[in-house]
Amino acid sequence: MTQQTYTADVLVVGGGTGGTAAAIQAARRGAKTILVSEFSWLGGMLTSAGVSAPDGNELMAFQTGLWGAFLQELRQRQPEGLNNSWVSFFSYDPRIGAEIFADWVQELSNLHWISGQVPLEVLQQGNCVTGVRFADFTVTAKIIIDGTELGDLLALGEIPHRWGWELQSEWGEISAPADFNHLTQRYPVQSPTWVVVMQDFGEDVAPEIPPAPNYDPALFAGAWDNYGAEKFLNYGRWPGNRFMINWPICGNDYGEGVGRLIESEAAKKEFLQECRWHSQNFAHFIQKNLSRRYGLAESVFPGKAGAFALHPYYRESRRLVGLTTVREQDILPMTGGKVASLFPDAIAVGNYANDHHYPGFDWPLQPKSMRWGGRWTGTPFTIPYGSLIPVATDGLLVCEKNISVSHIANGATRLQPVVMGIGQAAGMAAAMCIELNCQPRDLPVRQLQDALLKSLLDSAIIIPVFNLDISTRNPEWLKWQVYYLNNPQAYQLNGNYPKSASYQCNYVEKKQIVTGESDCFTGIFRRMNEEDYCFAITVPETYHDQVWQVVTLRSHIQEQLQSAVDEQQLTIWGHLNQAGNWLLAEWIEIP
């Protein structure tokens, strides 16, 4: 039987966070695009993997591009708001996230989405990738993007890639091991987690969660000892008394024999079954040791998945050998500063702290966190375009956790928002390669950067600047992004730009917006330590004498908190978060 062949400008394989963003951006730029996904939901980590409490790029200055547009859609579609958990400022029902991506795809007549298919063969002519064969069809395209969760096209096309640890001698990374050891052998990559969603049924009526094979309660003993049951559950709290269970401490991270993921289909299937059983056993342990009021949430994911995500949350993938490799040095703060050094070909920004998961092991990493806005956040860093391009293979870009990055640095580059930015850049680059009839390695990087900055729908940040939010619609935003691209030597080590009067004036309009959407609180401000603030509420009476941590994601509020006087009375407009015991400040009036 002759297999059907489709032809496109751009083929994106994999409907995860990066692949979905790449396909949408390529199509919005005008390229005829085909997106092929394994699952019926698009979005990967943000939806089908169930990690709908994303980390990183939380500051307003970094809520740009498709990531910023996604947050805006979530705010509009989830009436309960996004301020529900303490692990993230954005926790939401993954069904809403999946609807957003499906709607965006549906709006694009030049984007054809096919679900339920995985790549079987990569077609090549010489050193150029030309197509991908699936079970039921083949797609040929001028540019192909690998957006799979585990870098499947890299393996199928025998494109040079890495898997696992590098030693200090490879990159000079301080946090890398000097020699291979028990940890590196047992866990060649970070452990995945199969997210399960639990629900508080309010009474002792939840259906019993049976244990799965290999149940061992000793594996979970002490899971919430340092937090307490309530805080443990509120870690990933969603609206509707539901909880994302993605817990690293004696929890449902699973990495036993994780190398099986790339050994064979049979070995991968075996690992995935064990991984899912492990999460079921953790849910059983929670119900048995906390209360029968906690059970599996109903009908969260499609089909028979129910309370279990459609696939694991993969923290690491096969990693491309690219033109540029992101190393630990590239994500750490510059000496005396609060930002990492800039890549001249930067195409995306991330700011998550470097975070590695190996059950039972605590691997020390160089610190890249800092206090900002009353809380801890990560040092901003950039992703270079060269990390998306193979050393010698044409016709291919990557856009997921499969970029050219060291094992150590992957702990910071793997998070949802930065991967979404990488995907947007890959999609824009692919479409521009079609327009200019060139290979990705020959695409003028500055034209790509300008296209991302000036995208009419979703302008994306290239240079991390703390104190200039695109949300203000301030013309200074684009001006200073371009200025620092042209004059990287002028970039400030503190990540701030020198303000002008026009910047201050824009917040008159912002105050009108914020005060209409937020609750109002009056109380006494207290400075605990540097960048550590609390607020004793006096009005309204409901919260009288309650003390809340004050945090903000807005740069102008950050500056007000820095200058506020201890024991001063303030009026704050914002949102209380019961799970994190914080007041998210959106506007402050200082007498």
Side-chain angles (χ1 to χ4, degrees), residues 101-386:
F101 291 127
D103 288 348
W104 285 355
V105 168
Q106 185 65 33
E107 292 168 359
L108 294 162
S109 59
N110 60 330
L111 175 53
H112 181 197
W113 171 31
I114 305 170
S115 64
Q117 297 282 332
V118 297
L120 301 178
E121 181 185 3
V122 168
L123 309 180
Q124 301 183 63
Q125 291 181 359
N127 70 334
C128 186
V129 174
T130 58
V132 177
R133 181 176 65 84
F134 301 87
D136 301 325
F137 56 89
T138 295
V139 182
T140 61
K142 297 175 183 176
I143 303 294
I144 294 169
I145 301 177
D146 185 349
T148 60
E149 294 287 343
L150 293 172
D152 294 340
L153 298 191
L154 301 180
L156 290 171
E158 298 182 348
I159 297 161
H161 59 273
R162 304 180 179 95
W163 171 264
W165 297 71
E166 294 92 18
L167 299 179
Q168 275 186 16
S169 57
E170 179 81 17
W171 307 112
E173 297 172 309
I174 297 177
S175 299
D179 297 292
F180 294 116
N181 54 44
H182 177 59
L183 170 60
T184 65
Q185 292 171 359
R186 182 171 181 180
Y187 297 119
V189 295
Q190 293 191 61
S191 297
T193 303
W194 203 306
V195 168
V196 58
V197 183
M198 298 189 71
Q199 181 175 331
D200 182 354
F201 284 77
E203 298 178 4
D204 194 19
V205 295
E208 183 179 2
I209 304 171
N214 304 321
Y215 176 63
D216 181 0
L219 295 173
F220 311 118
W224 49 80
D225 284 359
N226 295 331
Y227 292 85
E230 183 178 7
K231 187 170 184 179
F232 156 72
L233 288 169
N234 284 336
Y235 167 85
R237 189 182 188 96
W238 292 346
N241 291 321
R242 289 177 298 159
F243 312 95
M244 176 197 71
I245 305 300
N246 170 29
W247 188 250
I249 305 168
C250 302
N252 55 331
D253 284 4
Y254 188 78
E256 297 305 315
V258 67
R260 288 176 288 172
L261 284 171
I262 64 168
E263 286 177 6
S264 67
E265 281 304 310
K268 179 180 178 181
K269 183 178 180 180
E270 179 184 64
F271 176 86
L272 293 180
Q273 180 64 79
E274 292 174 12
C275 188
R276 193 181 187 280
W277 280 343
H278 186 67
S279 286
Q280 181 176 332
N281 282 332
F282 189 39
H284 169 80
F285 180 85
I286 293 169
Q287 184 182 68
K288 187 173 182 179
N289 287 272
L290 292 184
S291 171
R292 272 292 300 276
R293 68 186 291 173
Y294 301 115
L296 296 179
E298 299 173 343
S299 304
V300 179
F301 299 97
K304 297 180 180 179
F308 291 87
L310 296 181
H311 58 91
Y313 169 33
Y314 295 108
R315 293 185 174 89
E316 196 164 349
S317 167
R318 300 177 181 91
R319 293 171 283 114
L320 176 73
V321 175
L323 296 179
T324 306
T325 298
V326 181
R327 309 157 304 161
E328 183 181 38
Q329 300 93 309
D330 302 315
I331 64 173
L332 296 177
M334 290 187 281
T335 303
K338 292 189 173 182
V339 291
S341 58
L342 304 179
F343 282 102
D345 60 341
I347 44 81
V349 168
N351 77 322
Y352 191 65
N354 205 356
D355 180 31
H356 281 228
H357 286 239
Y358 313 105
F361 289 86
D362 185 13
W363 186 257
L365 294 162
Q366 286 293 299
K368 67 175 297 291
S369 296
M370 62 180 178
R371 301 287 299 187
W372 193 98
R375 55 181 290 275
W376 286 102
T377 188
T379 301
F381 56 88
T382 57
I383 300 292
Y385 178 54

Side-chain angles (χ1 to χ4, degrees), residues 543-585:
Y543 301 102
H544 185 70
D545 286 339
Q546 292 187 16
V547 179
W548 297 74
Q549 181 185 4
V550 180
V551 301
T552 190
L553 304 179
R554 300 182 182 275
S555 57
H556 67 295
I557 302 299
Q558 147 81 346
E559 293 169 1
Q560 287 181 293
L561 291 172
Q562 286 180 311
S563 61
V565 177
D566 193 35
E567 297 295 329
Q568 183 177 19
Q569 179 172 300
L570 301 179
T571 298
I572 299 179
W573 281 267
H575 308 277
L576 293 177
N577 182 309
Q578 301 283 347
N581 194 42
W582 69 60
L583 169 57
L584 178 59

